[in-house]
Amino acid sequence: MPLNPARFLSDLHSLRQFGKDGHGVRRRAFTPEDLAARDWLAERITAAGLEPHFDPAGNLFGLAPGTSLLLGSHSDTQPEGGWLDGALGVIAALEVARASVEGGGPPISIVSFQDEEGRFGALTGSSIWSGKLDLDQADSLTDADGLSFAKARETLGARAGAFVDPARFSGFLELHIEQGPTLDQSGEAIGVVTGIVGSRQLQVTVEGQQNHAGTTPMALRRDAFTMVTRFATALEQAFANVVTPQTVWTIGQLQLHPNAPSIVPGRAVFTLQWRDVESDRLERMDQFINDVLNTVAAESGCNVTVERLRQMLEPVPMDHRMQDALSEAAEKIAPDRWRSMPSGALHDASNVAGLMPVGMLFVPSINGVSHTFDEDTAEDDLVLGLRVLADGAERASRALSR
Amino acid sequence: MPLNPARFLSDLHSLRQFGKDGHGVRRRAFTPEDLAARDWLAERITAAGLEPHFDPAGNLFGLAPGTSLLLGSHSDTQPEGGWLDGALGVIAALEVARASVEGGGPPISIVSFQDEEGRFGALTGSSIWSGKLDLDQADSLTDADGLSFAKARETLGARAGAFVDPARFSGFLELHIEQGPTLDQSGEAIGVVTGIVGSRQLQVTVEGQQNHAGTTPMALRRDAFTMVTRFATALEQAFANVVTPQTVWTIGQLQLHPNAPSIVPGRAVFTLQWRDVESDRLERMDQFINDVLNTVAAESGCNVTVERLRQMLEPVPMDHRMQDALSEAAEKIAPDRWRSMPSGALHDASNVAGLMPVGMLFVPSINGVSHTFDEDTAEDDLVLGLRVLADGAERASRALSR
């Protein structure tokens, strides 16, 4: 497959111009910048010898005839987005599909999903296409300013056609920046994703007793914040035997009441979120959390109430044939410079996995940052990612047709 | 000294009517309620055979002729105050002085200091009288609505006379509710105060690294909140060998940034306050705090900066002759039902201690609460406090005249 890295990088920088702001990009779903970018992409799709096709949700496909492998990601961004986030996976897909047409490779279609970054929902376009979200339900979603998805997608006008039948695709591959520090810190160039982690989240309310910080002896206090610190410490110890190096948990939000220097906190409300690629482990962690909460609350003289904030997100394992195809490609093109790893962030691939075999590749994020103007990846790594994606797509096409 | 407990309780309930709100009282310094209460008290002072005298700061004295012992507290309240807080000490002083006039006891003057509760400053009236705060400086202090102390004290009108010469008093005794749970929990009736604790306070800013809570492995995090929980735990252990059961420390205020469930906290700002009756211990705790902060910050990969928020308040020991006089009175009147203890809260006695020998007595606060409408003390304990104050005043008069 005669890849053209210069053409790939040129297209990537062309897409960057739509909504460019300094080093980063502002290209929210259905803004003029987003629609202009999609129109530009549709032209590039045509030029590549594929058929451009918008569906009613704003997802833009570049269709190869017959049954094909689907490659892609999304081209919308966060309000203050990086230039590579979903764009890399879309333009890499374009180059692989184009090179395959030119070189007589396997049939490859591409896609840029709409509103992955959640202006209206979360992974909105791929949720609708994969049947997880009805278009009617989606239409009633609103952005932060109250604009509905229904109103927003009217801007598609005559572009919008029918939904593309997923059955025409044999599988899906997504190249994406890691959005974390693992590859950047290890010096490796490629991550073959084993699965997209599931997550659970609780909101815990600790009720102690509000007291004067001068007149209340330590022994008579029921300090809600002290309870939280003891819980966090005890949880770390309790988790030691259940977690892997890839398991994560976070207390990211905390509010003390009344939150004054001279008052023993009477109440603390905090969130605890944990993520792993295995459902069993998420469940065992849930039990440890409950045990530790109850033990520490009793020791601290506090009451705790627990509220589940979000629907649980179950882990999504990547297809083994796809992992094998990508691993073989990585070992050929970047020998000893790749690893298998989970994805800690959500991706459109999570939704598509309900429809067909799915695989994902990561390239490093410099300093591990994403969803900021500073987001970046070394040019060599972008090209290496393109090459592994192309080689992996050829291997996947063969594996899936067996 | 022929004490009249019924008259004492009656006066206490009369004072309660000024600003009464449910079980509690609203009687901020220099409000119409406060001034009306002071005018009522001036009448009771005259009726008791003492000379009422307002000073320019609004402090109201009831003066005995010649050299006398001074008893009292304050009659202003918090915005939502308890009915006893300072009022108990003022009315108990009135009853003791009155009984002493009637029974030919030692000469006793009384005082109700102004703005102990800090509408304008903190312990404003006694700070001015004791020379710690110039009247000119005080005049520029403002309340939460921007009203100046200068403007507020204009409401004194013709009441205001000269400052009373502190040299006419041989010593000062203050009866107060404990405002903490120690006596209530132990079932004791009287606390003889050993000293008013000093306090120190820091604001600590922890700078870690803000990261995505899904994509950042635990081993690569520099989580500002995890640093705080480790610090709190390590500090408790480090303090074990330096503190007494009366030493207290509090993390009462904490703010995480960006404070979102899915983001590893990049910054945490918290206050740490500690109190003790001994300056040496406050200083040693300060050193432990610095050591533990530096150790934990290094282990957690975070940077800490420390800011001293307030002027340090040095501990104020009570005069030993006063403590002896009050202890002997307590042992006589409430044998085995009293203890020596520090005051964890500030009182006017802190300021007066710069002028003359000072002693303080506590009676229990039901459930340890204060600065709330619910604040209360059993009637038996109020009367017991009155009796110990009267007996202690006689003993103190003798001790100080030696």
Side-chain angles (χ1 to χ4, degrees):
Chain A
M1 200 184 287
L3 291 170
N4 185 335
R7 183 173 59 178
F8 156 69
L9 292 170
S10 168
D11 280 349
L12 203 48
H13 283 283
S14 294
L15 176 53
R16 185 185 197 175
Q17 303 312 310
F18 297 93
K20 188 171 195 292
D21 188 343
H23 193 82
V25 175
R26 301 175 186 271
R27 201 164 58 229
R28 283 309 255 169
F30 289 119
T31 56
E33 293 77 14
D34 171 59
L35 290 171
R38 285 174 192 271
D39 286 338
W40 168 84
L41 181 61
E43 288 170 23
R44 301 299 288 162
I45 285 170
T46 303
L50 303 175
E51 177 204 345
H53 181 95
F54 283 91
D55 77 8
N59 300 314
L60 170 58
F61 290 80
L63 297 170
T67 299
S68 58
L69 190 65
L70 183 65
L71 272 56
S73 187
H74 62 97
S75 56
D76 65 299
T77 74
Q78 287 278 323
E80 297 188 2
W83 74 289
L84 293 169
D85 193 325
L88 170 64
V90 171
I91 299 300
L94 174 68
E95 177 57 26
V96 173
R98 189 161 49 192
S100 200
V101 169
E102 292 167 353
I108 290 174
S109 297
I110 75 167
V111 64
S112 169
F113 288 114
Q114 181 58 302
D115 197 28
E116 196 269 353
E117 298 291 6
R119 177 178 173 187
F120 298 93
L123 318 186
T124 316
S126 62
S127 294
I128 294 167
W129 184 60
S130 65
K132 292 191 174 175
L133 178 66
D134 285 348
L135 190 57
D136 281 356
Q137 292 176 298
D139 274 345
S140 63
L141 297 174
T142 53
D143 73 358
D145 296 326
L147 180 78
S148 71
F149 187 75
K151 198 79 188 165
R153 71 188 183 86
E154 282 178 13
T155 58
L156 290 172
R159 294 181 190 88
F163 280 111
V164 174
D165 181 2
R168 66 184 292 160
F169 305 119
S170 57
F172 176 67
L173 290 178
E174 181 171 5
L175 170 65
H176 206 283
I177 56 168
E178 181 197 333
Q179 304 184 288
T182 300
L183 296 174
D184 187 54
Q185 295 243 346
S186 71
E188 290 159 321
I190 297 288
V192 174
V193 175
T194 54
I196 296 172
V197 302
S199 69
R200 299 195 182 184
Q201 187 174 316
L202 303 176
Q203 181 172 291
V204 181
T205 301
V206 181
E207 296 279 356
Q209 187 169 22
Q210 181 178 324
N211 270 314
H212 188 295
T215 59
T216 316
M218 301 307 278
L220 297 180
R221 294 184 178 195
R222 298 193 287 123
D223 182 329
F225 182 61
T226 298
M227 188 277 171
V228 177
T229 63
R230 288 177 184 162
F231 167 71
T233 303
L235 192 67
E236 193 172 351
Q237 292 164 358
F239 275 172
N241 291 321
V242 63
V243 300
T244 75
Q246 281 76 43
T247 313
V248 294
W249 67 98
T250 307
I251 295 176
Q253 195 172 59
L254 173 81
Q255 189 59 50
L256 300 184
H257 299 265
N259 205 34
S262 296
I263 303 181
V264 178
R267 185 150 46 101
V269 182
F270 68 94
T271 58
L272 174 63
Q273 185 187 85
W274 63 108
R275 307 195 192 201
D276 195 81
V277 284
E278 290 182 28
S279 294
D280 281 0
R281 186 167 295 114
L282 290 175
E283 179 58 32
R284 272 187 291 159
M285 291 172 77
D286 211 336
Q287 291 164 5
F288 273 93
I289 290 163
N290 265 293
D291 292 348
V292 174
L293 266 181
N294 291 332
T295 304
V296 175
E299 287 169 0
S300 306
C302 295
N303 291 320
V304 292
T305 52
V306 172
E307 187 187 348
R308 260 161 222 282
L309 276 193
R310 290 203 211 169
Q311 253 184 314
M312 287 181 290
L313 278 173
E314 284 303 312
V316 177
M318 296 293 98
D319 183 85
H320 279 290
R321 290 165 296 177
M322 295 301 224
Q323 285 191 58
D324 288 347
L326 294 172
S327 297
E328 288 160 20
E331 182 56 29
K332 178 182 159 199
I333 290 162
D336 300 327
R337 295 198 56 221
W338 66 280
R339 68 162 64 193
S340 292
M341 62 184 293
S343 169
L346 271 179
H347 294 288
D348 290 311
S350 293
N351 283 330
V352 183
L355 301 172
M356 61 191 78
V358 162
M360 274 200 85
L361 275 183
F362 281 159
V363 290
S365 293
I366 293 173
N367 297 325
V369 303
S370 184
H371 292 180
T372 142
F373 287 164
D374 294 339
E375 173 201 292
D376 212 348
T377 298
E379 207 165 80
D380 286 353
D381 289 335
L382 296 175
V383 172
L384 214 58
L386 171 72
R387 292 192 187 284
V388 175
L389 179 67
D391 192 68
E394 288 184 301
R395 292 172 192 272
S397 291
R398 287 196 296 273
L400 295 171
S401 65
R402 260 174 224 142
Chain B
M1 202 185 288
L3 291 169
N4 186 334
R7 181 173 62 178
F8 156 68
L9 292 171
S10 168
D11 280 349
L12 203 49
H13 283 281
S14 295
L15 177 53
R16 186 184 195 174
Q17 304 310 310
F18 297 93
K20 189 171 195 293
D21 187 342
H23 192 82
V25 174
R26 300 178 187 269
R27 201 165 59 229
R28 284 308 257 170
F30 289 119
T31 57
E33 293 77 14
D34 171 60
L35 289 172
R38 285 175 193 271
D39 286 339
W40 168 86
L41 182 61
E43 287 170 23
R44 301 301 286 162
I45 285 169
T46 303
L50 302 176
E51 177 205 344
H53 182 95
F54 284 92
D55 77 8
N59 300 313
L60 170 58
F61 290 79
L63 297 171
T67 299
S68 58
L69 191 65
L70 182 66
L71 273 57
S73 188
H74 63 96
S75 56
D76 65 300
T77 75
Q78 286 278 322
E80 296 188 2
W83 74 289
L84 293 169
D85 194 327
L88 171 63
V90 171
I91 299 301
L94 174 68
E95 177 57 26
V96 173
R98 189 161 50 193
S100 201
V101 169
E102 292 167 353
I108 291 175
S109 297
I110 76 167
V111 65
S112 168
F113 287 112
Q114 180 60 302
D115 197 29
E116 195 270 353
E117 299 290 8
R119 177 179 174 187
F120 298 92
L123 318 186
T124 318
S126 62
S127 293
I128 295 167
W129 184 60
S130 64
K132 291 190 176 176
L133 178 66
D134 285 348
L135 189 58
D136 281 355
Q137 291 176 298
D139 275 345
S140 62
L141 297 173
T142 54
D143 72 0
D145 296 326
L147 180 78
S148 70
F149 188 76
K151 199 79 189 166
R153 70 189 184 85
E154 281 178 11
T155 58
L156 289 170
R159 296 180 190 87
F163 281 111
V164 173
D165 181 2
R168 66 185 289 160
F169 306 119
S170 56
F172 176 68
L173 290 177
E174 182 170 6
L175 170 65
H176 206 281
I177 57 169
E178 181 197 332
Q179 303 183 288
T182 301
L183 296 174
D184 188 53
Q185 295 243 347
S186 70
E188 291 160 319
I190 297 289
V192 175
V193 176
T194 53
I196 296 173
V197 302
S199 68
R200 299 193 183 186
Q201 187 173 316
L202 303 177
Q203 180 171 292
V204 181
T205 300
V206 182
E207 296 280 356
Q209 186 169 23
Q210 180 177 326
N211 270 314
H212 188 296
T215 59
T216 316
M218 302 306 277
L220 298 181
R221 293 184 179 196
R222 299 193 285 125
D223 182 328
F225 182 61
T226 298
M227 188 276 171
V228 177
T229 64
R230 289 178 184 163
F231 168 70
T233 304
L235 192 67
E236 194 172 352
Q237 292 164 357
F239 275 172
N241 291 321
V242 61
V243 300
T244 75
Q246 280 77 45
T247 312
V248 295
W249 67 97
T250 307
I251 295 176
Q253 195 173 60
L254 172 82
Q255 188 60 49
L256 300 183
H257 300 266
N259 206 33
S262 295
I263 303 182
V264 178
R267 185 150 47 102
V269 182
F270 67 93
T271 58
L272 173 63
Q273 186 186 84
W274 63 107
R275 307 194 192 202
D276 196 81
V277 284
E278 289 182 28
S279 293
D280 280 0
R281 185 168 295 113
L282 290 175
E283 180 58 32
R284 272 187 291 161
M285 292 172 77
D286 211 337
Q287 291 164 6
F288 272 93
I289 289 163
N290 264 295
D291 291 349
V292 175
L293 265 180
N294 290 333
T295 303
V296 176
E299 287 167 2
S300 306
C302 295
N303 292 320
V304 292
T305 50
V306 172
E307 187 186 350
R308 262 161 220 282
L309 278 193
R310 290 203 212 169
Q311 253 185 313
M312 288 182 288
L313 278 172
E314 284 302 312
V316 178
M318 296 292 99
D319 182 86
H320 279 288
R321 289 165 296 177
M322 295 302 226
Q323 286 191 57
D324 289 346
L326 294 171
S327 298
E328 287 160 19
E331 182 57 29
K332 178 183 158 198
I333 290 161
D336 300 325
R337 295 197 57 221
W338 67 280
R339 68 162 67 194
S340 292
M341 63 185 292
S343 169
L346 272 180
H347 294 288
D348 290 312
S350 293
N351 283 331
V352 183
L355 301 173
M356 61 190 78
V358 162
M360 274 199 86
L361 274 182
F362 282 159
V363 290
S365 292
I366 293 173
N367 296 325
V369 303
S370 183
H371 291 180
T372 144
F373 287 165
D374 294 339
E375 172 203 291
D376 213 349
T377 298
E379 207 166 79
D380 286 353
D381 288 336
L382 296 176
V383 173
L384 215 58
L386 171 72
R387 292 193 189 283
V388 175
L389 179 67
D391 192 68
E394 288 184 302
R395 292 173 192 271
S397 289
R398 286 197 296 273
L400 295 171
S401 64
R402 259 175 226 141

